[in-house]
Amino acid sequence: MSKTQQLAQLFRHAIEQGQLRAGDRMPSLRQLCQDHAVSLTTAQRAYAELERQGLLQALPRSGFRVCPPATRAAPAETAAPQTLRMEHLTTALPMPWGCPFINPALINTTPMNRALGRALQDYRDALSSTPLEGFDGLRRELGLHYLSQGIALAGDELLITCGGMEALTLAMRAAVSASGSQSMVVVTPAFPAALEQLRHLGIAILPAALSEQGSLDLAAVEETLHEQRPAGIVLMANFQHPTGLVMPEAQKRALVALAEQYRVCIIEDDTYRELYFGKQGASPLKAFDRSGTVLHCSSFSKSLAPGYRVGWIAAGRLSDTVRGLKLCSSLGTPLPSQMALARLLATGQHGDMLTRLRASLRQRRDAMVQQIMESFPAGSRLLRAEGGYFQWVVLPEGLDCAALLPLAIEQGIHYAPATLFYPHPVAANALRLNFSFFDPLHQREGVALLGALLRQAME
Ligand SMILES: Cc1ncc(COP(=O)(O)O)c(C=O)c1O
């Protein structure tokens, strides 16, 4: 939570508890800055927020006064954040649209399995060593891929990990250890396992809200960097999980420059990089990084090889720290799956696999979106996913998707409610649907059924 939000929350609480009463004069902005060691901008923003909520009224010449209760905006219904549990990962229901994994049925496993067979033949020779940095052949292929995107990595920057999750964890731990700070800016809504990992590491989460167009309030981010000195910024600039949005290119550039200015690293999760719906992918933040500020994390789990557990990190100026942490995290990444992936990339077979996968995802997305528009309650908003396999739907205010989930499960439908994607209580009127598991031929009625449930809940 930013300083502004903390301050606004403090005074909201004081007013609601009757510590500050209707008509009371609020401390001057200057006083507020002194008492709470914040900048004038923060103090102004906090009062503006309270004014917006109908709690304060600006006085004609100067200052603020507490409003009478009748003028106050009712607080939005909020629900507590949820911690990640196994049932959130289920694929057991007929319509497992809440599952975070890609539908393995969409991936042609034959070339990968063949590559694994060949790799196992070679494996006898490689039995004795599992290099800490990863299999050299795979690192070389990945290095070439970065080059094709105009990114020249430093020689020792790339490290293969046990999936993208290990890459993210190493990056978070490296950022904390290098900076000594125990907080991290996280763009929300966010990947639930990243939030969970930060909680386990005891790192305070400072949320930065993503707009429905995929951009950030950079002034607010700068204020947080200035006042809280966090260890890093965790975000997905491309095909964001759970919204599928892409950050505008000018913002990407500006964010990297901001992080450089404050010497704060960026942990870029680019796990959905290959799953774009347009003609080509989107530039990662890493492409704008000239000083090793961006720790770029990604994985093969969503595109070529779910279950092989191979990911990677290009860790910029924290490469040494990340290597040290990898040593005591998993010592190395299993070799056969790396060798198989290296072979698949070197022979170029992955290109066709990805082209087909993108086409099936786009087709499923279009079909699901059409059905949602026909059956969800009026006033629902669908964010325009540019890639990945999730559709984020914002429902009319007051609908509580978390409370409604057991009813949907009774009908064989699973979805992920908004409460999973935030570190703080939120209005639960949004949900994530995994359209890779949506079968356009047989499951349109399932979406209609979910729409009917949501509409009934509004009555
Ligand atoms: C946004 C995001 N980042 C990272 C990961 C982790 O990837 P992996 O399965 O390779 O560990 C996932 C997996 O769900 C994800 O959705």
Side-chain angles (χ1 to χ4, degrees), residues 163-331:
M165 199 62 228
E166 190 187 32
L168 284 176
T169 306
L170 294 175
M172 290 168 184
R173 292 178 57 199
V176 165
S177 134
S179 67
S181 165
Q182 284 294 331
S183 64
M184 197 85 82
V185 173
V186 180
V187 172
T188 57
F191 170 42
L195 294 175
E196 193 78 0
Q197 187 63 279
L198 288 166
R199 286 189 202 110
H200 286 306
L201 294 171
I203 300 171
I205 299 170
L206 310 170
L210 193 69
S211 78
E212 291 188 9
Q213 288 69 43
S215 57
L216 289 175
D217 177 349
L218 284 189
V221 172
E222 177 161 15
E223 185 186 317
T224 309
L225 298 187
H226 182 69
E227 291 178 357
Q228 312 267 335
R229 300 283 158 180
I233 306 171
V234 184
L235 83 160
M236 299 180 71
N238 297 326
F239 322 125
Q240 200 258 359
H241 182 168
T243 61
L245 297 172
V246 172
M247 178 181 272
E249 188 127 332
Q251 270 229 332
K252 289 180 180 171
R253 225 179 263 284
L255 185 67
V256 173
L258 199 60
E260 277 171 358
Q261 184 190 336
Y262 284 88
R263 295 281 298 165
V264 163
C265 70
I266 292 180
I267 298 174
E268 177 178 25
D269 181 352
D270 204 12
T271 296
Y272 294 79
R273 62 208 307 267
E274 297 293 356
L275 306 182
Y276 49 87
F277 300 146
K279 288 204 174 63
Q280 57 192 28
S283 310
L285 295 176
K286 188 78 180 163
F288 304 104
D289 177 22
R290 300 284 166 264
S291 58
T293 293
V294 178
L295 281 67
H296 184 247
C297 306
S298 193
S299 165
F300 292 107
S301 305
K302 309 294 173 184
S303 49
L304 297 174
Y308 279 65
R309 307 299 307 137
V310 182
W312 71 91
I313 178 168
R317 64 179 148 83
L318 296 188
S319 300
D320 283 349
T321 316
V322 165
R323 252 198 315 278
L325 289 166
K326 169 79 179 171
L327 187 68
C328 52
S329 165
S330 57
L331 281 177

Side-chain angles (χ1 to χ4, degrees), residues 4 29 40 48 54 79 97 109 141 144 159 198 225 252 294 296 304 330 332 335 378 387 408 457:
T4 306
L29 288 168
L40 186 63
W97 303 330
T109 47
E141 289 301 326
L144 291 174
L159 181 117
L198 288 166
L225 298 187
K252 289 180 180 171
V294 178
H296 184 247
L304 297 174
S330 57
L335 211 46

Side-chain angles (χ1 to χ4, degrees), residues 432-455:
R432 183 198 70 189
L433 293 167
N434 178 338
F435 52 77
S436 77
F437 281 97
F438 172 66
D439 174 354
L441 285 182
H442 303 106
Q443 292 185 337
R444 283 180 192 269
E445 280 172 12
V447 178
L449 192 63
L450 180 57
L453 269 180
L454 295 166
R455 288 199 314 274

Side-chain angles (χ1 to χ4, degrees), residues 325-357:
L325 289 166
K326 169 79 179 171
L327 187 68
C328 52
S329 165
S330 57
L331 281 177
T333 303
L335 211 46
S337 42
Q338 294 187 68
M339 294 169 81
L341 276 160
R343 181 177 290 276
L344 195 79
L345 297 180
T347 53
Q349 294 171 81
H350 63 297
D352 276 353
M353 289 173 71
L354 289 172
T355 307
R356 284 210 196 103
L357 178 59

